[in-house]
Amino acid sequence: MNNKFDLYFKRTETELAILKFSGLPQNIYEPMNYILHLGGKRIRPILTFVANDMFGGDIEKAVAPAISSEIFHNFSLIHDDILDKAPLRRGKPTVHTKWNIDTAILSGDLMLVKAYEIISKTESKYLDKILKIFNKTASQICEGQQMDMNFETQENVSETEYLDMIKLKTSVLLGCCLKMGAITADASNEECEKVYNLGVNMGMGFQLMDDYLDSFGNSNDVGKQTGGDILERKKTILYIKAAERDNDNFLSLINDNKIENTEKVERVKSVFIKTGADLFLKNLSEKYFIKSLNYLDEIDVAEENKKTLRNIIDFLRSRNN
Amino acid sequence: MNNKFDLYFKRTETELAILKFSGLPQNIYEPMNYILHLGGKRIRPILTFVANDMFGGDIEKAVAPAISSEIFHNFSLIHDDILDKAPLRRGKPTVHTKWNIDTAILSGDLMLVKAYEIISKTESKYLDKILKIFNKTASQICEGQQMDMNFETQENVSETEYLDMIKLKTSVLLGCCLKMGAITADASNEECEKVYNLGVNMGMGFQLMDDYLDSFGNSNDVGKQTGGDILERKKTILYIKAAERDNDNFLSLINDNKIENTEKVERVKSVFIKTGADLFLKNLSEKYFIKSLNYLDEIDVAEENKKTLRNIIDFLRSRNN
């Protein structure tokens, strides 16, 4: 995307390679290395580095929280995949499929402990603040995941409830990553809050765009079959709006198990378009991205320093995969 | 047991009552309060308070690590009960039975995060040291639990492997709790190590006694039916020694599914006695308790200050339930 983005991606990969979890028994450590090296955009540690850099910090001080956020994220993937009964992640077997559920629970637990072990290496003068935002965020992510699970059996999910859920499950961690970069660059509390809010709004825009692409993305671009959310009857904004605007038809269609999958996806997508749910979602995503850009404008550093973060927001905003 | 023990038990109960986890969604917080209030001896926080007191510390500084250790212990109970497929804990339904496995995974995760949130409140001057021993211990407990799981399908488990496992799964946390009390009382590194080793050895003695009582305790005293380990073919020291000394007979007996449970327990116990596995285990437990008392002797504080901890060791050593 740009040189600094690449630089921080590489730095993350280097740190993760050095880290290499090892110990006994091997079968609790192997899944940790396995999931970490399935790939991934490493967006979370990159955000910590980018924010640290934006506020003129010493990048070395951001390493511990940056890497910790990636380890935490991967812990949550292992456990979420169990809850979602997901067979694959990035085209490879999930941890509980390759090993078993018990080992996936324990490896995940150990990975959460390791996230804390790593973040504990943050320089003492930043440690209190770092732990405070990290602990808060970690709790929120668990809450968000539980909400997401509850929605599966909850008949009516409101727009507000859905937005609350993705905020907790996805967005706050991006805000936390940026804030940890700012803290380790000695940014003021006020600037830390701005960059946190920037991250949360960017995360909302990102997740809503993700939901849009799950139905309307080009499967070649997205790299996986689209329509997954539709077939799982996931109560996303598209579902909620279509149900609100075309109640009877939409609900009988989405709950009809006799229609073949490809046809069902196409017919549901038509309802999304007919009801304007697709546009509503795109506009909502856009609204959050613009809010995040507004926070970026308010941050009190030279425009030049904001370039990488601005590029990241623009990239996420205009992506089609 | 004595006044200080009761005092610290009550202090723990008060702190846990104040804590009361609350938040949304409710169904992730309810299991946390449920498991915490099923009762329990609160031995871990009490050990932190007792060690702090022994080294003449200010008890208030020990509160955060003490309570955190109890929260951590309860997190591990929730997840262990899933792995062990245990229907009951202290005579009440386990979390995954009362709710479901997914909620038990997530509530456990949140409880682990909360343990860290609480320990993060430790006074800054102690925080580095506290996190270091807590992180190390938390990793070891996960490793120990994985070893325990692996033993279920591992044909031969050696005495050394079993002792390693219980050290990781149970004993190190007792050492950690004592050490955290010492750290927050400004004890020297040397004294911290002594009290840590005391705790680990006491934990070994405790767990081995637990294994003994599981087969040979009086079920009225123990409060549950004895013989559980025998029926589950758990590879404890009794199993390992009996298999070593009476290979063919013991293994065919323990693997015989046609014998009625009560009869099987009695017959296996006879083999334990005949092979001297029972005495071997009792002696081993005793050896560890004596080691822990030796560490207590070496600790450089007035004998008067050691009284509560000495009573605790004597109590655990002579218990019959």
Side-chain angles (χ1 to χ4, degrees), chain A residues 67-190:
Chain A
I67 299 306
S68 177
S69 72
E70 184 67 14
I71 305 303
F72 181 90
H73 174 60
N74 279 271
F75 135 73
S76 74
L77 296 181
I78 295 180
H79 281 193
D80 287 2
D81 283 341
I82 303 175
L83 309 182
D84 297 342
K85 298 176 182 53
L88 296 176
R89 167 157 306 273
R90 300 187 206 289
K92 297 274 174 62
T94 46
V95 168
H96 68 276
T97 313
K98 194 172 162 74
W99 285 270
N100 55 60
I101 289 181
D102 292 351
T103 294
I105 293 175
L106 277 176
S107 268
D109 290 347
L110 183 54
M111 210 152 182
L112 177 51
V113 169
K114 292 293 174 191
Y116 275 103
E117 194 168 293
I118 293 164
I119 211 164
S120 301
K121 290 176 185 153
T122 307
E123 198 174 311
S124 297
K125 67 185 270 208
Y126 305 121
L127 190 57
D128 273 344
K129 277 189 181 176
I130 291 287
L131 285 174
K132 206 169 171 190
I133 182 63
F134 190 78
N135 285 327
K136 182 183 150 197
T137 305
S139 289
Q140 289 176 319
I141 291 168
C142 296
E143 291 170 358
Q145 178 63 20
Q146 181 74 47
M147 281 178 83
D148 196 15
M149 260 176 51
N150 292 351
F151 288 174
E152 284 174 29
T153 51
Q154 185 177 324
E155 205 170 324
N156 288 304
V157 176
S158 72
E159 188 186 321
T160 314
E161 283 177 306
Y162 182 76
L163 295 176
D164 276 350
M165 185 276 283
I166 61 170
K167 181 177 170 183
L168 295 171
K169 186 172 165 174
T170 305
S171 310
V172 293
L173 182 54
L174 304 190
C176 169
C177 287
L178 286 170
K179 184 171 175 172
M180 294 195 297
I183 290 169
T184 52
D186 299 296
S188 70
N189 289 343
E190 203 188 334

Side-chain angles (χ1 to χ4, degrees), chain A residues 93-302:
Chain A
T94 46
V95 168
H96 68 276
T97 313
K98 194 172 162 74
W99 285 270
N100 55 60
I101 289 181
D102 292 351
T103 294
I105 293 175
L106 277 176
S107 268
D109 290 347
L110 183 54
M111 210 152 182
L112 177 51
V113 169
K114 292 293 174 191
Y116 275 103
E117 194 168 293
I118 293 164
I119 211 164
S120 301
K121 290 176 185 153
T122 307
E123 198 174 311
S124 297
K125 67 185 270 208
Y126 305 121
L127 190 57
D128 273 344
K129 277 189 181 176
I130 291 287
L131 285 174
K132 206 169 171 190
I133 182 63
F134 190 78
N135 285 327
K136 182 183 150 197
T137 305
S139 289
Q140 289 176 319
I141 291 168
C142 296
E143 291 170 358
Q145 178 63 20
Q146 181 74 47
M147 281 178 83
D148 196 15
M149 260 176 51
N150 292 351
F151 288 174
E152 284 174 29
T153 51
Q154 185 177 324
E155 205 170 324
N156 288 304
V157 176
S158 72
E159 188 186 321
T160 314
E161 283 177 306
Y162 182 76
L163 295 176
D164 276 350
M165 185 276 283
I166 61 170
K167 181 177 170 183
L168 295 171
K169 186 172 165 174
T170 305
S171 310
V172 293
L173 182 54
L174 304 190
C176 169
C177 287
L178 286 170
K179 184 171 175 172
M180 294 195 297
I183 290 169
T184 52
D186 299 296
S188 70
N189 289 343
E190 203 188 334
E191 298 302 315
C192 286
E193 282 322 298
K194 285 181 203 162
V195 83
Y196 176 77
N197 288 322
L198 182 163
V200 173
N201 281 286
M202 180 179 75
M204 296 295 287
F206 170 81
Q207 182 58 51
L208 293 171
M209 182 59 93
D210 222 51
D211 292 349
Y212 178 83
L213 293 171
D214 192 272
S215 291
F216 292 100
N218 180 317
S219 62
N220 290 333
D221 293 335
V222 180
K224 62 173 181 183
Q225 209 54 45
T226 53
D229 287 351
I230 292 174
L231 296 173
E232 287 172 33
R233 301 189 186 102
K234 208 163 158 33
K235 297 179 186 91
T236 64
I237 293 292
L238 290 170
Y239 180 110
I240 293 164
K241 277 292 138 185
E244 191 183 297
R245 294 174 175 180
D246 185 39
N247 198 306
D248 285 355
N249 283 338
F250 174 72
L251 290 179
S252 57
L253 172 62
I254 197 115
N255 290 315
D256 191 333
N257 292 322
K258 290 187 215 95
I259 316 171
E260 182 273 327
N261 282 351
T262 321
E263 191 198 333
K264 185 169 180 178
V265 169
E266 286 315 310
R267 284 178 59 185
V268 169
K269 279 165 70 177
S270 307
V271 180
F272 288 159
I273 293 167
K274 190 188 82 185
T275 55
D278 62 332
L279 277 183
F280 180 87
L281 175 57
K282 268 202 125 172
N283 287 338
L284 195 57
S285 167
E286 187 62 10
K287 204 186 83 184
Y288 282 108
F289 277 124
I290 287 169
K291 242 181 164 176
S292 79
L293 287 166
N294 289 343
Y295 276 111
L296 185 62
D297 288 339
E298 281 179 28
I299 288 171
D300 194 19
V301 300

Side-chain angles (χ1 to χ4, degrees), chain B residues 31-214:
Chain B
M32 296 164 64
N33 293 313
Y34 172 78
I35 186 128
L36 259 182
H37 297 104
L38 283 184
K41 296 178 288 295
R42 314 299 189 199
I43 187 73
R44 292 158 193 83
I46 290 171
L47 287 176
T48 303
F49 286 128
V50 165
N52 177 284
D53 183 75
M54 179 172 74
F55 288 106
D58 171 0
I59 219 71
E60 299 308 319
K61 313 215 163 178
V63 173
I67 299 306
S68 179
S69 73
E70 184 67 14
I71 305 303
F72 181 90
H73 174 59
N74 279 271
F75 135 73
S76 74
L77 297 181
I78 295 180
H79 280 193
D80 288 2
D81 283 341
I82 303 174
L83 308 182
D84 296 343
K85 297 176 182 54
L88 297 175
R89 167 158 304 274
R90 301 186 206 288
K92 297 272 173 65
T94 45
V95 168
H96 68 275
T97 312
K98 195 172 161 73
W99 284 269
N100 56 58
I101 290 181
D102 291 351
T103 293
I105 293 174
L106 278 176
S107 266
D109 290 347
L110 183 54
M111 209 153 183
L112 176 51
V113 169
K114 292 293 175 191
Y116 275 103
E117 193 168 294
I118 293 163
I119 211 164
S120 301
K121 290 176 184 153
T122 307
E123 198 175 312
S124 296
K125 68 186 270 210
Y126 305 121
L127 190 57
D128 274 342
K129 277 189 183 177
I130 291 288
L131 284 175
K132 207 168 170 189
I133 182 63
F134 189 79
N135 286 327
K136 182 183 149 196
T137 305
S139 289
Q140 289 177 318
I141 291 167
C142 295
E143 290 169 359
Q145 178 63 21
Q146 182 74 47
M147 281 177 82
D148 196 14
M149 259 175 52
N150 292 351
F151 288 175
E152 286 175 26
T153 52
Q154 186 177 321
E155 205 170 324
N156 289 303
V157 177
S158 71
E159 188 186 321
T160 315
E161 283 177 307
Y162 183 76
L163 295 176
D164 277 350
M165 184 277 284
I166 60 169
K167 180 177 171 182
L168 295 171
K169 187 172 166 173
T170 304
S171 311
V172 292
L173 183 53
L174 304 190
C176 170
C177 287
L178 286 170
K179 184 171 175 173
M180 293 194 300
I183 290 169
T184 52
D186 299 296
S188 70
N189 289 343
E190 204 186 334
E191 299 302 315
C192 286
E193 283 322 297
K194 286 181 202 162
V195 83
Y196 176 78
N197 288 323
L198 182 162
V200 174
N201 281 286
M202 179 180 75
M204 295 296 286
F206 170 82
Q207 182 58 50
L208 292 171
M209 182 58 94
D210 221 53
D211 292 349
Y212 177 83
L213 293 171
D214 192 90

